[in-house]
Every structure is written in structure tokens, then in C-alpha cells.
Amino acid sequence: MSARDEVLRRVREAVGSTGGTTPPPRAYRTSGDLPAGSSELDDLLVERIEDYRATVQRTGGSDEEIVVAVRSVLGSLGVTSVVCPPAVAAHFLAPNGDQESGIDSRAENAGPVRIVADDGSLDADTLDGIDAVVTGSAVAIAETGTIVLDGGPTCGRRAITLVPDIHVCVVRPDQVVQTVPEALARLDPARPLTFISGPSATSDIELSRVEGVHGPRTLVVILARS
Amino acid sequence: MSGGRGQTFLGMPRAGHPGPTADTAVGHLQGERDFPTAARDALSDSQLRRNLGHATATIRAKRASVVGEVPDWEALRDAGSAIKTDTMARLPELLEQLETEVTARGGVVHWARDAAEANAIVTRLVKQTGETEVVKVKSMATQEIGLNEALEDAGITAYETDLAELIVQLGHDAPSHILVPAIHRGRSEIREIFLREMPNVDPAITDDPRALAEAARGYLRRRFLRAKVAISGANFAVADTGTLVVLESEGNGRMCLTLPETLITVMGIEKLVPTWRDLEVFLQLLPRSSTGERMNPYTSAWTGVHSTEGVPDGPQTFHLVLLDNGRTAALADELGRTALHCIRCSACLNVCPVYERTGGHAYGSVYPGPIGAVLSPQLTGITGGDEPNDSLPFASSLCGACYQVCPVKIDIPSILVQLRAEHVEARKARSKVPTAEAVAMAAAAWTMGDEGRFAKAGRAARMGSPMIRRGRVRVPLPPPLSGWTASRDVPSPPPETFREWWAHRDQSDASEARA
């Protein structure tokens, strides 16, 4: 008998007598009480993200305002190179197709930033030589201060949001939900999903939390709301 | 208590003829010494007790705070418990569904009857890649089966990448906690381990956790970027979508799950949830119970092999190894099986007065604390003999704190009591000579079964009172009674028995009434 058949036989015989099952009770909250799009919802998200020692930058909802905010953040962090999914490169970073010398006079401290649109060919070592990554997001969960990436056009493949040390993530107004169940209902499990709650951290030494281990040590969320 | 389960012997299946128990010669499901012996060493280590006391107090406070802010926590626990009950009842069909979905998404599913078979599968898969190094995400299942040692025997070096696992590995040590395997180490001990074992560490490094985490980052960075093969466990597998889920904090998990070409995930067959929606319950219960955070920094979910916008994303070869190793033996008992509901949060360890004092090593198994005391002996089998795991169901005061904090409401105290009964039954069945305990209980039953005998026994006990002083017996008792008094105070018998007092009191009342 193959290992598969043997294990399945054992499982069948072990649970055989249990009989029918009942659907689990779901008396827990499946949605929040804060109205979608409300400032209370935004405030909760910001408070919870900041609690993890990530930074939140609020900005208006237009593409142009987001571009200014992103460039301002990159400038203030002294970023000289940034990788992003092609859609983000086109939208947020260089709306005029100016991909190489993104000097922006509107942002303080802004220097020349090398913008690398990820075409899937960048290996880990190349990514390790890039300062920051800029992405959009799929969903943000206010109660837990979580942003979720799903490999979509603005989120990119997983490696680009992992290796660079700074992650700048743009959250759009219609992406914010209050609770975990609302978020999961919006996500497609067929996609590669990454739930991010603050910068990388560890509590392995005496259970005291330290931010910054292997993942990006700086997380900046740009919350756009018109 | 044991009901129909009195017939449990070494190597024999429990009721229902399910799978055999795990082989204790492979992996780390049983220690070398019984709990009381191992605990004695731990109790005399004051540094260990300080580290544990500090760490468990910290995590208890964090958990209480983030659980307290969730208005529907009890409803989530009810749902979590019911989902797991349903999962176990439908496990055969759910496992087949998982296999179908993972395969349809480009993954390869393997089945392992026991630890040795799982180790052989993983070793073969790594060898097929031609690599001699692998990076590992912290995984209880691979600790359980002793995978690192098996790989080492095959000439493959496994690098643990979780900070605490790294501390344990570099310290040539064993994990002592499910979540924080190096909880028994203080910061200065960790600094010394790093200085001793990590090449290129700045000799001036302080014991600031920030500096130590930075050193670990430097040590592992190149390994992550160059790794071709990664090995992980899984927190959850979703049957109806084939999705695997890993929760972590440091980003070492994302590194292993994203950068290598080949990913091998080893998972116990009980880690399933039926539907994607069920994760909405567990992604709330687990982080708050485990690290005391609203959400852990990183959760990765993947389904087979991925491409994003036509570009490969993450490992393009994915193997899932499904492990039995005694689980089907535990599954056969309706109460015992609830131990398999465990989502490895470790909240029960952090509240346990026994764990807080002894630490995890005393339990011998990779699964320590209250959950370990019910899980390990069920996986390896209650023998009724002197196997170390037979002592685990007794490593508890039955205070019930573990049950109160368990996010999936595993009634650990009831399982402990059942396993104790099983142990006693198995011992009785093994041995023709009754145990001291059985003799004492039989004697007590005989004495208490008759009024005259009971009265005589009371008077006789009083006669013994000069032998006892401040709870200690003045003259050492012969075995087996010395076994009882070695760790317990003996109450001094009162000057008169209750019965004598009652009879005497009746007479005084009567004389008062006549007066």
C-alpha cells in the first residue's frame, strides 16, 4: 500500500464513527461598524500602523498628489534608487515617462532618483543594491494596521517588496476595510498574498519587540484620500 | 474516565485500528528523562527561572491587552473550535481535496507515514536539486521529525533562519518554547553565543536586542540571497483552494518562501482548514494569542506555483509533504483528538505555572507545556511503563489556565486526566504485581467501605501523630511510602477524630438540654 493510501486509510478508520458534521457558528463580526470611506476608519488605520513604528503620510487622492507624496518620502529618506512594478513606475513615479532622472523640485531634499521598473529579470543581488521599493496595495485592514499585497499590477512580484530596505506603499481610499473578514472576502487566494503589519520585527530576545530584521526595516504607508 | 480506552499498549493502535504511534527513536517527540527528573535540574537553575519569569510575564500582559480589545473574542474562539472539530471529522475528504488543489496549481504532494519516511522524502528532494545547503523557516513539524539531523547525515547543511532557532542552532541547544524557542536564553547569553559561533561578528557588540538582531541580519543576508532550496512548515493549509499559509515576524519566512527556486513544505495532516473563509477566524486568533500582536508583521499565503503578470513569482518548484507520525493514533479518540486542533500559538505555555518554573526542556519533546503534555504522549503512545512521555500527563496542577487562554478551546485539563487514567490502566494491564498506588487505593476503598473499619483507621492514624513534626515524618518511611512523602508534607493527625468529636459533642448537647 502506498504511503498516501496508508495514511488516508488510517485517517478514515480513526474518524470513521464521527458521523455528520454541523457548519461552524459564525457569531463573530464579519464587518466593522465604521462607515466605509469615513475619516474614523482612516484614523484607526493610521493609529494601528503607527503602533508598529511604521510611518503614515496622508495625501490627497489624485495621481498628482500621490506622486508628490511618494517623491517627498523618497527624498526625505535619502533614497537614490527605487524599484517598482511597471504600472507604479508609470503612475506614481514618472507620470511623464521620465524614468531615469526623476528630479522633483516640489519635494524637499530630492536628489536624482534612479527608477527601475521591474520586468521580472532582476535577481536578488540586484534588488539588494536598490534602496527602496514603491508599490500600491490590494487591501488595508484598519483594526490590525495591515496592508495586503496580491501580486497585482501595482503590487508587483513578491521579491521586489522584500529585498530593498525601504518599502513605500500607497493605499487608495477604496482599499481600506475595518476587519480581517472583510479583507479576506476581497482577496483572491489564487494569487500570492503578503500581509504586512509594520516593518520586519522580532520578539525572540527576551520577548521584547525590535523592529528591523530581514524584511524591509522601514515601512512608509501613503494613505491617499480625497 | 478511560471509558473504552483501557486497552492501550506500546506500539498498538488505539480503538478503531488507526495508525501506529510515532517511533520515539526518530526525531524529538520524547526526551531521555521523565518530567520530574528533568524538572529538578531546571528548578535549580536560577538564571533560567529569571529568564522564563520575565519572558512569560511580558507575553502574558501583551496577550491580555490585545485580546481584551476584541469585542467578539469568545465568538471567534467558538468558531475556531467548531471549525477544527469539523476539520477532524472530515479529514479524509479534506486531505484529498487539498492534494487535488495543490496539484492543480503546480505543486507536488507527498505523504509520509512517519518521521523517517518524511526525512527520506525531503532528503531525496533536496538531493535532486544538486544543492548541499538549504535555508529553513522555523517549523515545529521539521523539529519533531529531526529533519536537520537527517539532512546532516546526508551531507546537507540546514540553516535555521528564525532568530530564536538560529540562537538554538548556534548554541547547540534544544528549543524550549513553541513560539520563542530560545526563551530560556537571556540577552547576555545570546551575545556570548553569537561571539563564539558567528563569523565576522563585531567583538564590541553589545547585548542590546537591536544589535543582536542586526548581527543575525548580517549573518543570514547572503544565505538568503543565494539560497536555491528552502524548507518550511505551515501554519494552515486551506483545503478548498490549496493555499498554504505561514505567519512570521522577521521576514526570514518571506525570504525562504520567495527567493529560492525550490520550496519544500512539511506539514502535519491536522493543519488543515476547510475553506479560505475559515482563515478569517484563525488570522485573528493566532497572532493575538501568540505574540500578543494585533497582527504579526508578515503573513505569506501561496497556492502552488505562481506567476505574476506572466512573470514567475517565487519558487517554481513546490513540494508539500503531509505527515502522519502518530497523528492518526491521536485522532482515534474523540477527546484526545482535540489536541490536534492546536494552532501552535503557545498561549498555554505562557500562562502555565508549571512551564513558567521548569521551562520547555523538562518536557523532553519539541512540544512543551500544557499542549505538549497532551500532544506528545498521544503521538508516541501511553505505554503504562516508565517511558518519559508517560510522565507528561502528570506535569500539571490542573489549574485550567491553559484551557481559558486556548484560542481553539482545547480542554487540556480533561485530556490530561484522561491520559492519566489511560496510563494507570495500561500499567495495570502490563504488570501482574499491582503498583503501590493501586494497593493504596484498594486499601483505602476497603477501609472506607465499612463504618467500623473507617472509625478504627481514624483512631489508628491519631496514634501516628508523635511520628510527624511540622509536616515531616520523623522516621523515614519505607518504600513505597517514602515516594509519597519525599515531596509532600504529611498533615498532623488531629488530637481526636471527627467521629470522636461528634459523639462527644452529642453528649454535651444532651447534658445541656437536661440542665
Side-chain angles (χ1 to χ4, degrees), chain B residues 70-84:
Chain B
V70 179
D72 52 347
W73 185 253
E74 290 307 317
L76 286 166
R77 289 179 77 210
D78 287 338
S81 171
I83 291 168
K84 279 296 185 180

Side-chain angles (χ1 to χ4, degrees), chain A residues 17-196:
Chain A
S17 58
T18 309
T21 60
T22 48
R26 296 189 192 268
Y28 54 85
R29 298 172 307 144
T30 50
S31 62
D33 47 5
L34 300 177
S38 65
S39 61
E40 292 98 319
L41 193 59
D42 280 3
D43 291 346
L44 182 62
L45 176 67
V46 172
E47 177 209 311
R48 295 289 154 92
I49 292 176
E50 287 179 341
D51 200 37
Y52 298 125
R53 292 183 209 163
T55 314
V56 183
Q57 185 92 41
R58 296 193 197 224
T59 182
S62 74
D63 273 6
E64 193 169 53
E65 286 166 295
I66 294 171
V67 169
V68 172
V70 169
R71 292 198 166 210
S72 156
V73 165
L74 294 177
S76 66
L77 292 170
V79 168
T80 61
S81 57
V82 57
V83 60
C84 46
V88 172
H91 253 82
F92 300 153
L93 282 168
N96 304 319
D98 172 19
Q99 299 219 348
E100 284 303 320
S101 60
I103 303 167
D104 193 321
S105 56
R106 286 168 295 188
E108 282 178 37
N109 308 323
V113 176
R114 186 166 61 93
I115 299 167
V116 182
D118 175 48
D119 61 0
S121 69
L122 305 171
D123 63 14
D125 278 324
T126 309
L127 289 171
D128 198 35
I130 295 176
D131 293 341
V133 55
V134 179
T135 67
S137 59
V139 182
I141 310 169
E143 281 188 356
T144 60
T146 305
I147 53 174
V148 188
L149 309 181
D150 71 349
T154 66
C155 296
R157 66 189 173 108
R158 286 172 288 172
I160 66 166
T161 47
L162 174 60
V163 181
D165 207 14
I166 297 170
H167 183 188
V168 180
C169 181
V170 178
V171 175
R172 298 274 202 167
D174 57 345
Q175 291 168 336
V176 184
V177 297
Q178 187 177 334
T179 65
V180 172
E182 288 166 281
L184 287 192
R186 285 187 178 206
L187 292 165
D188 176 4
R191 290 175 163 278
L193 300 173
T194 307
F195 294 64
I196 298 173

Side-chain angles (χ1 to χ4, degrees), chain B residues 9-24:
Chain B
F9 303 99
L10 176 60
M12 280 186 67
R14 287 156 87 159
H17 308 291
T21 50
D23 179 359
T24 52

Side-chain angles (χ1 to χ4, degrees), chain B residues 130-427:
Chain B
E131 295 294 315
T132 54
E133 293 187 355
V134 299
V135 285
K136 277 189 74 203
V137 199
K138 175 173 152 27
S139 138
M140 295 307 298
T142 60
Q143 281 279 1
E144 172 189 325
I145 61 177
L147 178 62
N148 289 4
E149 294 89 331
L151 290 173
E152 195 182 333
D153 290 344
I156 298 160
T157 309
Y159 291 98
E160 293 290 352
T161 63
D162 170 76
L163 179 52
E165 289 281 10
L166 179 67
I167 294 164
V168 167
Q169 193 177 39
L170 291 177
H172 310 290
D173 201 357
S176 72
H177 190 275
I178 291 172
L179 171 72
V180 200
I183 197 169
H184 55 289
R185 296 289 194 186
R187 59 182 70 191
S188 57
E189 292 172 282
I190 294 167
R191 174 180 172 271
E192 281 163 29
I193 292 170
F194 280 15
L195 279 174
R196 198 170 59 232
E197 302 284 340
M198 227 181 230
N200 309 323
V201 169
D202 178 3
I205 188 172
T206 68
D207 64 1
D208 176 15
R210 204 166 295 276
L212 296 169
E214 175 75 33
R217 179 183 166 103
Y219 174 71
L220 287 171
R221 190 82 183 165
R222 304 314 304 169
R223 297 202 198 291
F224 282 134
L225 301 182
R226 304 239 162 107
K228 296 279 185 276
V229 183
I231 296 171
S232 85
N235 290 101
F236 304 102
V238 183
D240 76 341
T241 60
T243 306
L244 276 293
V245 185
V246 165
L247 282 73
E248 50 124 2
S249 297
E250 298 166 14
N252 64 308
R254 292 178 69 194
M255 289 280 178
C256 293
L257 301 171
T258 307
L259 298 183
E261 292 162 3
T262 300
L263 172 62
I264 304 165
T265 299
V266 182
M267 184 189 98
I269 52 171
E270 81 283 19
K271 290 265 160 180
L272 279 178
V273 296
T275 68
W276 171 251
R277 189 190 172 184
D278 295 328
L279 285 180
E280 71 187 20
V281 175
F282 295 104
L283 290 186
Q284 296 190 72
L285 289 174
L286 181 50
R288 290 180 197 260
S289 300
S290 185
T291 50
E293 293 167 306
R294 296 186 180 102
M295 194 66 96
N296 49 295
Y298 300 132
T299 297
S300 295
W302 73 98
T303 305
V305 170
H306 289 287
S307 283
T308 296
E309 310 293 312
V311 173
D313 182 350
Q316 295 299 294
T317 304
F318 170 54
H319 296 279
L320 176 63
V321 181
L322 297 172
L323 175 72
D324 179 350
N325 205 35
R327 284 163 177 76
T328 47
L331 198 59
D333 182 78
E334 212 160 325
L335 176 62
R337 124 180 2 150
T338 58
L340 297 176
H341 296 185
C342 174
I343 55 174
R344 311 281 188 264
C345 72
S346 67
C348 63
L349 278 61
N350 302 329
V351 298
C352 178
V354 177
Y355 177 88
E356 184 178 349
R357 282 159 184 82
T358 66
H361 290 157
Y363 294 80
S365 163
V366 290
Y367 302 109
I371 187 63
V374 294
L375 194 56
S376 310
Q378 290 200 88
L379 295 177
T380 60
I382 290 281
T383 67
D386 297 320
E387 291 292 316
N389 278 0
D390 267 61
S391 67
L392 291 182
F394 300 88
S396 167
S397 64
L398 300 178
C399 78
C402 48
Y403 184 24
Q404 280 180 349
V405 296
C406 177
V408 291
K409 298 179 83 165
I410 301 171
D411 184 356
I412 294 174
S414 291
I415 307 176
L416 286 168
V417 170
Q418 175 169 304
L419 292 173
R420 289 179 185 187
E422 260 187 52
H423 168 82
V424 171
E425 292 294 319
R427 200 169 190 90

